[in-house]
Amino acid sequence: MHDDPAYYLFTPSTQPQESSSPAPKHRRRVSLLEQPHGSSQANGSFLGELSTHDAIDNEPAGPPRATVARRAQSYSDFHYAVMAALDPKSKAEAKADTEGKNKKELKNDTNFDDWYDSLEDELFEASHDEYKAHLDELKFTEAYLDSVSSSTSATLDILSSLSNQFKNVETQTTAFQKQCSDLIAEQRRIEGLTENIGDNLNYYSYLEPITRKLNAPGAGNFVRGKEFSDMLARLDECLDYMNRHMGQREAPTYRSRYRQLLTRGLTLIRVNFVSALRDIASDVTRRIADKQLNDTTMSALLYAKFRVGASELKELAQEIRKRAYVSAGAEPGAEAEYQSLMNELYTGYSATRGKLILPLITKKIGEISMAPSTSEDLVTFARSSIGYMKGISADEYSLWLEWFEGEDGLYDFLESICEALFDQLRPRIVHEHQILKLCELCTLLQTQYFRDIDDEPEEQMQGQFDFSILIQPALEDAQTRLVFRALAVLRDDIETFKPKAADLDYPARNKGVPLSGSKANGPLTSGRRESLSHRKDQQLDDDEALANGKFGFNLEASHQNWYPTLRKAVWLLSRIYRLVNSTVFDDLAHNIVHQTTLSLHRASTTISASKTPIDGQLFLLKHLLLLKQQIVAFDIEFVTPDVTFDFSGISSTFYELRDRGGLFDPRSIWRLLSAGTGTLLPRVVENMLDAKAELDARLRAVINDFCSSAANRITASVSKSAVEKKSFDPAAVVPAIQGAAKTEVPLVRRKLEEYVEDSRTRETLVGAVQDQVVLNYEAWYEGWSAERRKGGRGVVSSKGKGREGDVWDVGVFTEWALAVFAVGRGHEGGTGGGVAGRRFSGGSLDGGGSGSGSGSEGSV
């Protein structure tokens, strides 16, 4: 309103203003706080009374008096109420009343003057009615706002006071809540402490009632009840608590007493278990003694009777077994705490069962040993007796698992009942002399009663009856006896073999005997190590085996023409292969091959002396090739170091010191000890006895000897002794070599055909002789040419004959040798001659031949 410029240009009017001004086009929205019409009229009358009272009494404006009228809810309502009080109509009515009153009083001039002055004043005031009305409105508004302001201030003071009081209450409430929380936490702590004290005291309160139960006269009567198992579990809990709270005052004492009670309870289980076993055994023994029983009734008594109640006793034994563990902190290898009680259960069960079944087993094994079909034959007796024991052991295995959990102590019990078998089998094995019987027994045990670990996973093998553990001693006895007999054969028939004249009748024994390339000379066994399951059907014919020697060997007819030591070595290796431990076999195989090689050398020396050197060399060459071919099948892997001490230096040193007079001189002895030679210390000599390497070395040596001897006979005219003679004539060298070759080459071929059947091997050896001949001639020719150059004379042209056409150069001589030896010509699959393609020298033998039995060049 004050911002409107018309407000300041307003001129009061002397006439009462009518509502002649145009009505506003838009009326302000009525406030939502506007009171009803009755309230507006009440407020208007109230303000009218205030206006009249103020005009007459000229009292200062002030806040309205309290009335029953409702206070205006907004400034606009208050404005309408004031305007209603100042309505011109009401003023006209008041004026009319005044005029009427004045008219009655106008009787003289004084009254008229007074009336006129009052009228003038009224007119003047009437001209300012609107402003006065507005001023009155402002005064009323100011008074009202002052009242509202004071009320608001009072209300704010009250609210501030209330806020402060609320804050105090909140602070006090928070403090109270915290105190309550602390009290609740303390209450819970005390309750938890009370519960813990109660729980802890429970572990101490079990001592007296358990002690009374276990020490009562009839304590053993409730061992099989559920209450007894619960009591043992409670003792375990108490012991565990005492071990975890050793800081408590009475914990060590109570732990000791609880342990005594647990031992007492487990001892009652052991007594009850053994007593139950004794009762069952007494019942079975009494029934067996009363009358003769057949096998079915006997089985029912021995097994069905023991299965009754076994599950209940198994649970009792399990109570001891699950507590038989090694305590923490025990020394390595220490026995479990209650393992002795468990062992007593095992021992009691084993003794009880042993008394019942051992007499029956001994009787049955005795009957098998006295039977006509098994009394004389080791393998038949072993097959029958071991089969019977396997059935008994399987039944006992099943019965054991019904009494106990796990296999602890089981195989000890089964081994004890197998003693009757070993008492009969072990003497028979020790007195068995036939290697074939021992081999057949080992094969039977390995194939029938031992599992093939490679074929069965370890998971499947667990929890299954393993009879091989029980039969292992019998196999070890058989293998030990087999190795002993093999060493006896090696000593008697190979190492100390005395050949007869017929054994050394070579090459007559070679007629019709192929060296290689045929089935007869193939390996006796496969080159790969077979699985044991592949040999289950292998059987030996004893009659045919015993027909050919003291110890019996079943070789083919063609092998009978081999030298006896070679034949015996191959037979022996083929018998013991895969029947003994691999380490033992490898060591034994090295000795067999070594002694066989030495015996062949001795025979070769004898044949060379009785026949010709070439016969001895080819004999040794042939048999070494056969031996190399055969041992490939046995996979000899290990090398045995032969360590010896050489004391020869010590004796010579002492003799020397004695001669010089310094034997007792400390300085001389110290000088010898500190010297680098170490003459006073024994010398360690390691001889590596590798059969394959030794055989390859000897084969190289005999091939070199054969080729060198044949080549030397052909080139005897250029040997060192012939060249040093004064009568040596270079012109006669070639004719002499040609004449010798004409004789020796057919002889070499004929001898090779007598000993070596394979044509490729023969051609390889002929080619080696040819190469050696060319090398001998080349060595002489180079020396002879060097001497001629020193003397200033010419040399033979490399293209042919020179001035001295009677001496050939190396090229011409090589061409002649190729034509004379004719290596590979006309032979299908031959090697094809040529010095360049087959240059041979000492040590050029390929020791790593395939050993395929073909005797080809690769093997030579």
Side-chain angles (χ1 to χ4, degrees):
M1 180 182 65
H2 299 284
D3 294 337
D4 189 0
Y7 176 79
Y8 300 98
L9 299 178
F10 178 77
T11 302
S13 177
T14 58
Q15 299 295 331
Q17 293 184 1
E18 301 291 336
S19 57
S20 59
S21 61
K25 298 181 179 180
H26 298 284
R27 186 179 181 181
R28 185 170 62 87
R29 180 180 298 177
V30 180
S31 173
L32 294 175
L33 300 178
E34 184 177 351
Q35 299 297 323
H37 182 71
S39 299
S40 300
Q41 292 179 356
N43 290 336
S45 62
F46 166 69
L47 292 176
E49 291 177 1
L50 289 179
S51 176
T52 306
H53 184 272
D54 182 64
I56 297 174
D57 298 335
N58 292 325
E59 294 179 358
R65 288 176 295 177
T67 62
V68 295
R70 293 180 60 183
R71 183 176 59 85
Q73 295 183 358
S74 66
Y75 176 78
S76 60
D77 298 336
F78 180 75
H79 172 74
Y80 294 139
V82 173
M83 292 303 294
L86 300 177
D87 188 17
K89 182 177 181 181
S90 61
K91 287 183 177 183
E93 291 177 356
K95 184 178 179 182
D97 293 338
T98 303
E99 288 180 352
K101 183 179 181 181
N102 290 336
K103 286 180 179 180
K104 293 177 181 181
E105 293 179 357
L106 290 179
K107 296 179 178 181
N108 53 32
D109 295 336
T110 305
N111 290 337
F112 178 79
D113 291 336
D114 292 337
W115 173 82
Y116 183 81
D117 290 336
S118 62
L119 180 61
E120 186 178 8
D121 292 337
E122 288 178 0
L123 290 175
F124 178 78
E125 289 179 0
S127 63
H128 293 83
D129 285 342
E130 185 175 357
Y131 294 99
K132 287 181 180 181
H134 185 68
L135 179 60
D136 292 338
E137 181 180 357
L138 291 178
K139 288 180 180 181
F140 283 126
T141 301
E142 181 181 6
Y144 174 74
L145 292 178
D146 290 339
S147 177
V148 171
S149 176
S150 61
S151 299
T152 303
S153 298
T155 303
L156 291 176
D157 293 338
I158 294 173
L159 292 176
S160 177
S161 176
L162 291 175
S163 176
N164 293 331
Q165 292 176 3
F166 282 138
K167 289 181 180 179
N168 293 332
V169 172
E170 182 181 5
T171 303
Q172 295 175 2
T173 304
T174 303
F176 180 74
Q177 182 180 5
K178 183 178 180 182
Q179 292 177 0
C180 292
S181 300
D182 294 340
L183 290 175
I184 292 174
E186 182 66 17
Q187 179 185 0
R188 292 177 179 175
R189 186 187 68 83
I190 294 175
E191 290 177 354
L193 183 61
T194 304
E195 292 178 359
N196 291 334
I197 292 175
D199 294 340
N200 293 337
L201 289 178
N202 286 335
Y203 292 106
Y204 290 90
S205 62
Y206 293 139
L207 180 63
E208 294 301 328
I210 293 178
T211 302
R212 288 194 300 268
K213 287 183 179 180
L214 292 180
N215 293 330
N221 297 331
F222 73 104
V223 170
R224 301 189 185 185
K226 183 67 169 59
E227 181 182 357
F228 188 80
S229 299
D230 296 339
M231 183 184 64
L232 293 179
R234 193 173 300 114
L235 284 174
D236 291 335
E237 295 175 358
C238 293
L239 281 172
D240 182 66
Y241 175 82
M242 298 302 168
N243 290 328
R244 289 186 287 106
H245 300 83
M246 290 299 296
Q248 296 181 4
R249 183 175 180 180
E250 298 295 332
T253 303
Y254 275 78
R255 185 184 68 168
S256 177
R257 298 187 64 181
Y258 279 134
R259 191 176 298 277
Q260 293 176 358
L261 293 176
L262 182 61
T263 303
R264 169 67 175 166
L266 297 181
T267 303
L268 290 176
I269 291 177
R270 190 257 301 168
V271 172
N272 188 277
F273 188 92
V274 175
S275 176
L277 266 176
R278 190 183 301 113
D279 294 341
I280 296 174
S282 300
D283 187 18
V284 172
T285 303
R286 185 180 66 257
R287 294 190 181 187
I288 293 176
D290 289 344
K291 53 185 177 180
Q292 298 293 331
L293 302 176
N294 54 23
D295 294 341
T296 304
T297 308
M298 186 73 69
S299 176
L301 283 176
L302 291 177
Y303 293 99
K305 185 68 176 176
F306 271 82
R307 288 187 172 92
V308 177
S311 59
E312 185 179 3
L313 293 175
K314 181 179 181 180
E315 293 179 358
L316 290 179
Q318 186 64 15
E319 294 291 340
I320 300 179
R321 186 175 185 273
K322 66 183 180 182
R323 292 171 177 85
Y325 58 88
V326 180
S327 59
E331 297 181 357
E335 189 180 28
E337 186 174 3
Y338 296 106
Q339 187 62 42
S340 59
L341 291 176
M342 199 67 202
N343 292 338
E344 291 181 11
L345 297 187
Y346 295 152
T347 304
Y349 178 86
S350 300
T352 302
R353 291 295 300 173
K355 290 179 182 179
L356 294 175
I357 64 175
L358 274 178
L360 302 178
I361 293 175
T362 304
K363 179 181 177 181
K364 184 64 176 180
I365 295 296
E367 293 176 356
I368 294 175
S369 63
M370 298 301 294
S373 59
T374 58
S375 59
E376 299 296 334
D377 187 71
L378 171 65
V379 179
T380 305
F381 169 76
R383 183 181 291 108
S384 301
S385 59
I386 294 175
Y388 170 74
M389 284 307 305
K390 184 177 181 181
I392 293 293
S393 300
D395 294 338
E396 292 298 324
Y397 179 88
S398 302
L399 184 61
W400 178 282
L401 294 182
E402 294 186 14
W403 280 78
F404 300 103
E405 185 73 25
E407 299 179 356
D408 297 339
L410 169 60
Y411 285 97
D412 294 335
F413 163 63
L414 295 180
E415 288 176 1
S416 65
I417 66 176
C418 290
E419 288 297 328
L421 169 65
F422 296 143
D423 291 341
Q424 292 286 342
L425 184 60
R426 188 173 288 113
R428 291 172 178 264
I429 293 175
V430 172
H431 292 88
E432 182 60 54
H433 293 279
Q434 299 181 22
I435 287 185
L436 287 179
K437 292 295 182 181
L438 296 172
C439 293
E440 189 175 356
L441 176 60
C442 292
T443 303
L444 173 67
L445 296 178
Q446 290 179 345
T447 56
Q448 296 294 332
Y449 305 110
F450 279 79
R451 296 176 178 176
D452 195 344
I453 301 178
D454 297 335
D455 295 341
E456 297 187 19
E458 184 177 357
E459 293 78 6
Q460 296 182 4
M461 296 177 62
Q462 295 179 353
Q464 298 182 3
F465 175 48
D466 189 3
F467 186 66
S468 61
I469 299 177
L470 305 179
I471 209 64
Q472 181 68 30
L475 178 62
E476 292 176 355
D477 293 339
Q479 290 176 335
T480 302
R481 181 62 179 172
L482 177 60
V483 172
F484 176 79
R485 294 305 306 156
L487 291 174
V489 172
L490 173 63
R491 181 187 67 249
D492 298 337
D493 291 355
I494 296 178
E495 186 176 356
T496 61
F497 176 71
K498 303 296 182 182
K500 301 178 183 178
D503 297 331
L504 300 174
D505 187 14
Y506 287 91
R509 291 173 59 88
N510 293 330
K511 294 181 179 180
V513 180
L515 171 62
S516 58
S518 64
K519 181 179 179 180
N521 283 333
L524 294 182
T525 59
S526 173
R528 296 183 179 181
R529 298 200 170 189
E530 305 170 327
S531 174
L532 290 177
S533 59
H534 297 162
R535 304 183 58 185
K536 289 185 178 180
D537 298 332
Q538 179 183 357
Q539 299 293 335
L540 298 174
D541 189 348
D542 294 342
D543 296 334
E544 293 180 5
L546 296 173
N548 290 324
K550 177 180 177 181
F551 299 99
F553 39 92
N554 184 19
L555 294 178
E556 296 153 356
S558 60
H559 295 167
Q560 297 297 330
N561 293 323
W562 292 0
Y563 190 65
T565 57
L566 175 62
R567 187 170 64 250
K568 185 59 67 69
V570 174
W571 173 84
L572 189 59
L573 290 174
S574 64
R575 293 301 95 193
I576 66 174
Y577 180 60
R578 294 291 293 172
L579 297 181
V580 297
N581 183 270
S582 59
T583 304
V584 177
F585 172 79
D586 292 328
D587 183 71
L588 187 59
H590 282 294
N591 291 327
I592 292 174
V593 173
H594 175 69
Q595 294 298 333
T596 304
T597 305
L598 294 180
S599 69
L600 292 176
H601 267 276
R602 292 193 295 268
S604 174
T605 303
T606 304
I607 293 174
S608 298
S610 60
K611 299 296 179 62
T612 60
I614 193 172
D615 287 320
Q617 293 169 352
L618 290 178
F619 165 82
L620 182 60
L621 175 62
K622 169 193 173 180
H623 284 82
L624 290 180
L625 286 175
L626 286 172
L627 181 60
K628 179 179 176 62
Q629 170 188 327
Q630 294 296 326
I631 66 173
V632 172
F634 302 112
D635 295 342
I636 303 175
E637 298 175 355
F638 300 99
V639 177
T640 305
D642 186 12
V643 181
T644 58
F645 293 95
D646 184 9
F647 294 92
S648 60
I650 298 178
S651 58
S652 61
T653 302
F654 272 101
Y655 284 123
E656 182 180 356
L657 289 176
R658 187 188 64 179
D659 294 340
R660 292 188 302 180
L663 180 60
F664 299 101
D665 187 0
R667 291 177 297 177
S668 300
I669 298 177
W670 177 256
R671 189 181 304 110
L672 292 173
L673 287 173
S674 60
T677 57
T679 53
L680 280 184
L681 298 177
R683 186 165 55 92
V684 179
V685 180
E686 291 189 3
N687 298 320
M688 302 302 292
L689 187 61
D690 191 337
K692 290 184 177 180
E694 180 186 11
L695 180 58
D696 290 339
R698 291 185 180 276
L699 191 56
R700 292 191 190 96
V702 69
I703 291 176
N704 288 334
D705 292 342
F706 169 73
C707 295
S708 298
S709 61
N712 290 338
R713 289 194 300 271
I714 296 175
T715 59
S717 58
V718 295
S719 62
K720 185 177 180 180
S721 59
V723 171
E724 292 177 352
K725 293 181 179 179
K726 295 181 179 180
S727 59
F728 176 72
D729 183 10
V733 168
V734 173
I737 292 176
Q738 289 178 337
K742 187 176 181 180
T743 304
E744 290 295 331
V745 172
L747 176 62
V748 169
R749 284 189 172 276
R750 186 175 67 254
K751 288 294 183 182
L752 286 174
E753 290 177 356
E754 292 176 354
Y755 286 91
V756 181
E757 178 67 20
D758 185 59
S759 59
R760 289 179 295 177
T761 304
R762 292 200 307 268
E763 293 302 319
T764 302
L765 293 174
V766 172
V769 174
Q770 170 190 302
D771 294 342
Q772 190 63 39
V773 169
V774 173
L775 289 175
N776 291 346
Y777 182 82
E778 184 179 359
W780 169 80
Y781 181 79
E782 289 178 354
W784 177 74
S785 300
E787 291 180 358
R788 289 183 62 83
R789 291 191 186 93
K790 290 180 181 179
R793 292 176 290 177
V795 296
V796 178
S797 173
S798 60
K799 295 183 180 180
K801 300 178 181 180
R803 294 190 304 271
E804 292 119 346
D806 48 356
V807 177
W808 295 347
D809 64 356
V810 178
V812 175
F813 186 83
T814 301
E815 294 178 0
W816 168 83
L818 291 175
V820 172
F821 283 91
V823 178
R825 295 182 183 178
H827 169 68
E828 183 179 357
T831 60
V835 178
R838 195 183 56 256
R839 181 72 63 180
F840 183 85
S841 60
S844 63
L845 175 65
D846 182 11
S850 62
S852 61
S854 62
S856 61
E857 183 178 357
S859 300
V860 180

